Structure formats: structure tokens, C-alpha cells
Amino acid sequence: DAKTTQPTSMDCAEGRAANLPCNHSTISGNEYVYWYRQIHSQGPQYIIHGLKNNETNEMASLIITEDRKSSTLILPHATLRDTAVYYCIVRLRNDYKLSFGAGTTVTVRA
Amino acid sequence: NAGVTQTPKFRILKIGQSMTLQCTQDMNHNYMYWYRQDPGMGLKLIYYSVGAGITDKGEVPNGYNVSRSTTEDFPLRLELAAPSQTSVYFCASSYEGKLPTEAFFGQGTRLTVV
């Protein structure tokens, strides 16, 4: 499986967009990019996933570069409740197991 | 839908004791998983199941056993508890078909072995 690299931590101002980068330079053509988050040791929560096209849902947007070697998760209007650890995960289409790294600790400040 | 429900939420075990962590889901998902998370670390896969009667080892299966007799339930058994098994345990489920989907996680069981 392709590995991912994320910054250890980042801060964001409340009400502003939070842009979370993820590098997955060894990703293969049939691997999807997934994002989950974990708020204060609760169970991880799914955010969004994509293959090669940009995706948007009610929580966030996922921007995948054309060469698919990196992606950015965008939280359009960060709130204090978005403070969490965000995990970028790459998984094969037919490999349902998720491999969690250390993630990015995002702190939203008032 | 209750989603994925784990019991108990907290447990303290003595070394050598055994226990079963319960997990049930009401979403008719075919796949179920057990992960553990040590302090400050990401989640590691212990066991998973692709359907009733089928289970397989994940990354860290030693010291654990699982069974999947129904679609809904996926209990995790610790036979001889050791301090190294002090962790937070998460159960998850997903429906895997032609396209990959999301996994739903329970709220976790916090286990301390003393």
C-alpha cells in the first residue's frame, strides 16, 4: 500500500478555511484517498474519499492533484468542534483494511 | 440506527484474566474490524471479518481471538490479559461492494491491565 505523509500539527483560526495537506507520492492507479478524523479519543469519523476527481460533501472538499501524488482536505469554515486528529489514508479498491498513521493534529483557535 | 455499539466502555483487568469485548452493528454491514489504539498513536488492525463465519488476522493479532457467528456481532476475546494489551479498542464496520465505502466506528472500549 502507498504510504502517506502529513504534517504533525497545524493551527487554524475559527471561521477560516483549514487546508490539510497529504503527500502520497507512491499511490497507484487503483488506490483511493480517504480522510478520517478523531475527536478527543472518540471513534474515528469518516470525512470524505476520492480516486482522482475532486470531491465535496457537507463536511469538506477533497482536492487531488492531477498526478495524484498529493491531496488537500479543505474544511471551508473551521469551528472549534473541528479540533481533532485528521488521518489521510490510501487504500486499494479491494483492500478494505485501513492503515492509520499518526495524522495531523488540527487545533482551531477562537 | 444505533450504528456500531461497543460494550463495555471501560474495564480494568488483572494480569492473566480473560474478557470479551462486545461489538454489534445494526447496519447490515458485511465487513467488521477490530482496531487498537495506544496513547498518541494511530489505530492498528487486530482482526477483521468479511462475513459471518469468516475471520482473518490483521497487523497485531497475538493475544486475541475473534468469532463471527452472525452478521451483527463481532466479539473480541482476550484470553490471558497482559499489561501490553492496555489500550483503547475500536470496533468498526463497513459495507463493501463494487465500490469502496466508508467505515463506521464505535466509541471504543478503554481497557487497563494491571
Side-chain angles (χ1 to χ4, degrees):
Chain A
D1 289 350
K3 301 297 184 186
T4 63
T5 303
Q6 299 178 251
T8 302
S9 63
M10 61 184 295
D11 285 359
C12 175
E14 187 179 22
R16 304 293 296 270
N19 297 297
L20 283 64
C22 180
N23 182 286
H24 32 79
S25 58
T26 60
I27 194 170
S28 64
N30 58 349
E31 288 182 308
Y32 286 75
V33 179
Y34 273 72
W35 284 85
Y36 283 80
R37 73 181 183 182
Q38 189 173 24
I39 298 173
H40 197 245
S41 297
Q42 297 176 16
Q45 175 189 26
Y46 166 83
I47 302 173
I48 199 166
H49 75 279
L51 181 62
K52 55 183 178 181
N53 297 323
N54 297 337
E55 302 287 345
T56 295
N57 62 20
E58 65 279 3
M59 288 183 67
S61 295
L62 174 60
I63 308 298
I64 302 174
T65 57
E66 192 168 344
D67 63 8
R68 301 186 68 242
K69 292 185 177 183
S70 66
S71 61
T72 301
L73 178 75
I74 301 173
L75 307 177
H77 304 287
T79 70
L80 299 179
R81 288 173 294 182
D82 291 322
T83 292
V85 178
Y86 287 76
Y87 298 99
C88 172
I89 299 167
V90 171
R91 59 158 277 194
L92 285 165
R93 177 176 169 276
N94 294 323
D95 186 356
Y96 23 82
K97 303 182 293 291
L98 298 171
S99 181
F100 288 82
T104 297
T105 299
V106 173
T107 303
V108 180
R109 301 191 186 280
Chain B
N1 283 354
V4 178
T5 302
Q6 293 182 234
T7 57
K9 289 186 170 55
F10 304 92
R11 184 73 186 267
I12 298 174
L13 275 183
K14 293 184 178 179
I15 295 172
Q17 286 185 323
S18 62
M19 77 165 294
T20 299
L21 282 67
Q22 301 292 345
C23 175
T24 187
Q25 53 93 6
D26 62 359
M27 297 173 283
N28 201 31
H29 285 170
N30 49 356
Y31 286 63
M32 296 188 74
Y33 320 82
W34 275 105
Y35 290 87
R36 61 175 285 174
Q37 184 175 34
D38 298 333
M41 307 293 286
L43 283 73
K44 293 185 178 180
L45 183 65
I46 305 172
Y47 270 96
Y48 65 98
S49 169
V50 303
I54 305 170
T55 62
D56 208 346
K57 296 178 180 178
E59 185 182 356
V60 290
N62 291 344
Y64 308 94
N65 281 300
V66 293
S67 60
R68 183 100 181 268
S69 57
T70 67
T71 299
E72 296 79 18
D73 300 308
F74 191 41
L76 177 71
R77 179 84 177 161
L78 283 70
E79 290 295 347
L80 290 170
S84 60
Q85 294 178 306
T86 293
S87 191
V88 181
Y89 292 83
F90 291 102
C91 179
S93 72
S94 65
Y95 183 80
E96 299 295 335
K98 289 185 177 180
L99 293 175
T101 60
E102 65 194 271
F104 292 79
F105 285 78
Q107 288 306 295
T109 294
R110 283 153 182 76
L111 176 67
T112 302
V113 182
V114 297

